[in-house]
Amino acid sequence: MLPHSLFFSILFSFSIAHQIIHLNELKGNGFKNVIDVAPPFAVYFSGASDSEEDLKEIHLVTRDKKKSFYELKNEKPEEFSSRLSPFHVSSTAEITTSLEEFTELKGFAYIVSFDEIAEKCFRVYDVDRFEVVKTHKDVNCTLVFLNSNFHLRYPPSTKISNWHQNELAVANLYRGVPSQEKTPVFSNPLEINGKSVLFIPETFSLRFEAFYIRTSNHVYLEVQPGHKSLHKHTTSGYTTTGFYMRKIGDPHERIEMICVRDTRFNGTVGAVVSGHMPSNKGSIGLITDDEAVFITPKKEKKVWTTELADHLTISAKDTEEGEFFVQWFIVQDLQIAGTQKPMKGAGKGASGLNVIVQVLTIIFFSYFN
Ligand SMILES: *[C@@H]1O[C@H](CO)[C@@H](O)[C@H](O)[C@H]1NC(C)=O
Ligand SMILES: *[C@@H]1O[C@H](CO)[C@@H](O)[C@H](O)[C@H]1NC(C)=O
C-alpha cells in the first residue's frame, strides 16, 4: 500500500491537502474527474438538498471500491447524527457520473489528506439537523462543519446556540476548511484592551458552506441549520458577544441591537471587524448612542471599542460586492464611584456568570497561526 501511494505522490504533484469539490462543477457523461489530492485521503460528503436519485448516479471510484454519493452522504458513525465518518481512499480516485445535467446540485465533497485527520480529535459534521457538539478537557479538537442545506431562506445558514466553555478553554472559529484561512472570524475568549475576556456567546448564524472551530479544553455548543436575525435583538447579559456577517450579494440590512445594561457600571462596547471589499470601496458603520465609526473591512482584523451604550447598530454602505464579519461584544467593567451598591441579588448573576480570565490569548493565536 505505502510504496504504491509513494509512487503516485512522486509521479504527480498534487495540490493542497484540503479541497472542496462541488458536484455541479464536475463533468458528466462518464468523464473521469480525478481527485487532485495525494492518497491516502478521506472523503466526506454533504448533500442535504440533493435528491437520493441523483446522488445514486454519482460515484467515487477508487482502485478497489466504488461508492455512490448517496452512500457517502450516509457514511456516519450513528444513523441520526450529523457527524460524518471519513471514507478512506488509499489509491488515486475519481468521481464519475452518467448524469448529463446536474448544475442544480448543491452538494459538495470535502477531501482531506490522511495526515491531517490523524490528529486525535478531528471531526466533520454535516449541518443537516440539530446536533450537540462537545469537546473534552484533555484534547485539542478541529471541528469542521459542512453546510449544503438550501431549504432555508438564507442558504446556506448555520445557527450556533448555547455556546459554553470551560474557563481554560480556547475556541477559534474560521471560515472554510482547515489551512485555507488563518485569521479567526470569532474567538472565545477574546482579547479586549489587553485583557482576555471569556464570554457566553449569544446565538448567532454563519453563512459559510464550510467553517471550522479549533478548540482546546471543554467546549459545548449546539449546531443546526437556521438563521438568527439580530435586528431588534436584546442582548442576553451585561458581558456578552455575538457575530454578524454578510456574504457577497446579501441584501442590505441595518441591524439595531438593544444592549442590556446596568448604568451603575462602566464598560466597553466594541467589535472585531474583518472581511474583504474588492476595489476597497464599501464601509460598515458601527454606531452607538454616542459614537459612530465607519470601517472598510480588510483581511486584517480591526478592533473598535467605545463606552457602554443602550444600542449598537451595524449598518453597511456599498458593501454588496464584498463580505464582512463582525464579532461584536459588550464587557461590563467596574462600578462607577458614587453609584448605589447593587441590591442583594440584582446584577449578581450577570457579573458572576461572566468570568474574566487574565490569560493572554496571543499565545493561543500564535499557536494556531
Ligand atoms: C471604569 O472605571 C474605572 C474606575 O473609575 C476605571 O479604572 C476603568 O478604566 C473604567 N473602565 C472603562 C472600560 O472605562
Ligand atoms: C492544546 O493546545 C494548546 C494551545 O492552544 C497547547 O498549549 C496544548 O499543549 C495542546 N494540548 C494538547 C493535549 O495537545
Side-chain angles (χ1 to χ4, degrees), residues 6 187 252 298 328:
L6 215 58
S187 300
H252 244 301
K298 297 211 166 64
W328 59 268

Side-chain angles (χ1 to χ4, degrees), residues 138 140 364 367:
D138 305 318
N140 291 349
F364 297 109
Y367 172 81

